[in-house]
Amino acid sequence: MTAEQMMSRYSKEFDPPVRGDTITADRYISKDWMDREMKNLWPKVWHLGGVLADLEETGDVIRHNFAKESVIMIRQEDGSIKAFYNSCPHRGNRLILGDVASAPRITCGYHGWQFDPDGTLVSVQDPDDFPQGNPCGKTKLTELRCDTWGPFVFWCMDDDVAPLHEWLAPERLAGYGLENWVRVLNVSADCEFNWKIVRDNFNESYHLPTIHPELATFINDGLPDTLFEMYPSGHNSMWMKGHQATTRKDYASGEVPTPLDAVAQAWGIDPADYKGRTSGIRQAVIEAKRKLGAERGYTNYANMTDQQLVDYFHCTLFPNLTITMSPEQCQILRTEPHPTDPERCVFQHWCLYPPVPGMKEVETPVGTAPLQHDAIARHSVYGDGVSVGYVADQDLSIGTTQQQGLNSRGFKGCLLPNQEKRVQRFHELLNDYVMKD
């Protein structure tokens, strides 16, 4: 079967060839592979450190623990943000122990060394006892690159990596107006599988009919209707038609299925008018949002394309960050490596919402919550019964058993359909980074 005959729909503009490298089990289970990632991969990419809502005043601090590293981002007096390794230059003690903090000075809890927000040492015990002279004013915290995009703060360990906005190439995300969106959901969980297992999952939609069957009535995951793109940056995306049931089954010729019927009614559309032609709901919602969006407070609709008004844009940034967009919700889904164990990771799930005037509550993946910063914030261990989001729970449900299966002598490497080409490319890019020396 030729590529043209295959069902999967890839963008002609963004469909680079893949080499066919074998996706081996060692990348999921090997400590040596993990060490190579720490040396050759993680310093070479930008990391999402937090949100600007936690950095409103001079001296506000966000801490981001990543594997064995810890980075702090601090709001400066001039309004800029600087990032530093969270390590005291005296004897290495970590300075900030909480996820957020605010103080005019950063004080080491061991010997009381104090640093200004710009990282300069300003106070030590017994300053005249140093053979090289008083270190104050001369010693600084080790700084990293730091930049912002939308409501987010990023950091990078390597000076040679492209600037953030060039690395992100966020053109596909323009129009949503994310700058003032509110992070309502901020949850995370320790998981017993390698960080790449969930990355593979987010790089394909092959699992939707089996892992997320309830999505079929309002997201069209049919391959001829789904557009896959793979960008020169190494990032990739998937556009899925929303407000339209899947074409894998016949939902079009009957009644408008639930919850698509309720969505239509919310925009003044009578589902009965679309009996036997349910796919027309999508265009009707576009027209209703154009007509009613502004008066309902959705001022961001004016800058969105029709596609953005109703569809789901699932963008996976290499190597470990996913942004899933709808016009009323931005989901951040990320896995990060465990500090020492290649068969464990940390999963993080954020949800942001536009600040619509008069709106007091929003529906999050874990239930209704106030429309306020970090209304739901918690950390758990996956499997303890605490949800990280009903769809995310389903994604994580396959992680442990897949990790176990990858340890089998019987696993010889992945066998992928064409629609999983993004998985193949992800691992080939990973090979190029990790196996450099």
Side-chain angles (χ1 to χ4, degrees):
M1 181 177 289
T2 67
E4 289 72 25
Q5 293 172 313
M6 291 181 183
M7 298 172 64
S8 309
R9 179 173 167 237
Y10 284 87
S11 164
K12 293 181 179 179
E13 185 180 0
F14 300 110
D15 184 20
V18 292
R19 299 187 299 254
D21 298 6
T22 301
I23 301 174
T24 54
D26 57 342
R27 68 194 59 223
Y28 301 97
I29 64 179
S30 163
K31 182 65 165 59
D32 177 66
W33 187 279
M34 181 184 196
D35 291 341
R36 283 179 171 270
E37 288 177 344
M38 202 63 226
K39 177 184 177 183
N40 294 332
L41 172 68
W42 298 120
K44 304 295 184 180
V45 297
W46 283 90
H47 297 264
L48 175 57
V51 292
L52 289 170
D54 284 326
L55 296 173
E56 293 184 336
E57 304 292 338
T58 301
D60 285 354
V61 182
I62 299 172
R63 181 199 65 176
H64 179 198
N65 287 345
F66 179 87
K68 290 185 177 181
E69 288 291 1
S70 183
V71 173
I72 54 176
M73 290 139 280
I74 309 174
R75 176 70 75 176
Q76 303 297 300
E77 190 172 351
D78 64 2
S80 65
I81 300 168
K82 289 188 175 183
F84 305 96
Y85 288 102
N86 188 17
S87 177
C88 183
H90 177 207
R91 283 164 52 192
N93 190 50
R94 282 197 175 174
L95 298 164
I96 300 295
L97 303 183
D99 290 334
V100 292
S102 184
R105 289 181 176 180
I106 300 167
T107 301
C108 179
Y110 194 179
H111 296 92
W113 285 30
Q114 294 186 339
F115 303 83
D116 273 349
D118 70 355
T120 302
L121 180 65
V122 293
S123 177
V124 297
Q125 293 186 64
D126 304 325
D128 296 328
D129 193 43
F130 290 80
Q132 61 272 51
N134 185 344
C136 292
K138 296 179 287 186
T139 299
K140 291 179 174 286
L141 300 179
T142 302
E143 189 170 354
L144 301 85
R145 295 169 68 191
C146 185
D147 204 347
T148 64
W149 171 76
F152 305 114
V153 187
F154 289 78
W155 55 267
C156 181
M157 292 184 267
D158 193 295
D159 290 339
D160 294 327
V161 175
L164 175 64
H165 288 245
E166 181 181 333
W167 180 84
L168 273 174
E171 291 81 7
R172 286 291 193 271
L173 293 166
Y176 288 103
L178 285 170
E179 288 76 13
N180 64 344
W181 286 31
V182 180
R183 185 178 69 185
V184 175
L185 182 72
N186 176 11
V187 296
S188 58
D190 295 326
C191 303
E192 296 196 357
F193 46 82
N194 184 272
W195 68 273
K196 292 182 288 296
I197 283 181
V198 169
R199 301 325 308 166
D200 293 345
N201 182 77
F202 291 153
N203 275 319
E204 49 93 350
S205 60
Y206 193 40
H207 68 281
L208 263 68
T210 50
I211 301 299
H212 311 303
E214 75 285 352
L215 302 182
T217 56
F218 65 96
I219 297 178
N220 184 357
D221 67 331
L223 288 180
D225 292 288
T226 300
L227 179 65
F228 303 108
E229 296 184 327
M230 297 182 290
Y231 308 119
S233 61
H235 311 322
N236 68 68
S237 71
M238 171 178 70
W239 284 99
M240 279 190 165
K241 289 182 179 179
H243 301 77
Q244 187 178 96
T246 182
T247 52
R248 291 178 181 271
K249 296 181 180 180
D250 180 17
Y251 286 104
S253 62
E255 304 278 352
V256 176
T258 301
L260 190 56
D261 54 354
V263 173
Q265 289 171 338
W267 286 101
I269 300 164
D270 186 353
D273 294 341
Y274 291 85
K275 182 179 179 179
R277 56 185 189 100
T278 67
S279 62
I281 291 283
R282 179 174 177 269
Q283 182 59 38
V285 172
I286 291 172
E287 294 170 4
K289 286 187 172 183
R290 291 286 182 218
K291 179 180 178 181
L292 303 173
E295 68 185 57
R296 294 189 180 189
Y298 290 101
T299 55
N300 55 333
Y301 285 178
N303 296 318
M304 292 186 190
T305 65
D306 286 355
Q307 187 179 33
Q308 289 174 326
L309 278 178
V310 290
D311 294 346
Y312 293 87
F313 179 54
H314 188 79
C315 182
T316 300
L317 303 179
F318 183 84
N320 69 320
L321 178 63
T322 293
I323 303 175
T324 296
M325 289 300 314
S326 70
E328 298 86 25
Q329 183 190 72
C330 169
Q331 294 190 66
I332 300 294
L333 302 132
R334 174 171 65 179
T335 46
E336 295 185 330
H338 185 271
T340 59
D341 188 345
E343 302 196 60
R344 297 170 64 189
C345 72
V346 178
F347 174 80
Q348 297 158 335
H349 188 190
W350 302 350
C351 285
L352 294 86
Y353 301 85
V356 176
M359 185 175 290
K360 304 296 184 183
E361 295 180 331
V362 292
E363 287 300 320
T364 79
V366 299
T368 305
L371 180 54
Q372 61 188 41
H373 179 61
D374 286 0
I376 301 174
R378 63 189 181 219
H379 181 77
S380 60
V381 175
Y382 179 71
D384 65 1
V386 178
S387 177
V388 292
Y390 69 94
V391 175
D393 290 341
Q394 294 169 333
D395 287 317
L396 299 190
S397 71
I398 52 86
T400 301
T401 51
Q402 188 176 359
Q403 186 69 44
Q404 292 167 343
L406 287 164
N407 277 274
S408 172
R409 291 181 176 86
F411 178 75
K412 306 299 183 182
C414 297
L415 177 63
L416 306 180
N418 190 54
Q419 63 186 283
E420 292 187 321
K421 186 158 59 171
R422 292 180 299 149
V423 177
Q424 181 69 35
R425 184 173 185 242
F426 166 76
H427 284 279
E428 292 180 0
L429 289 170
L430 196 65
N431 288 344
D432 293 341
Y433 275 86
V434 173
M435 305 308 291
K436 280 184 178 178
D437 51 54

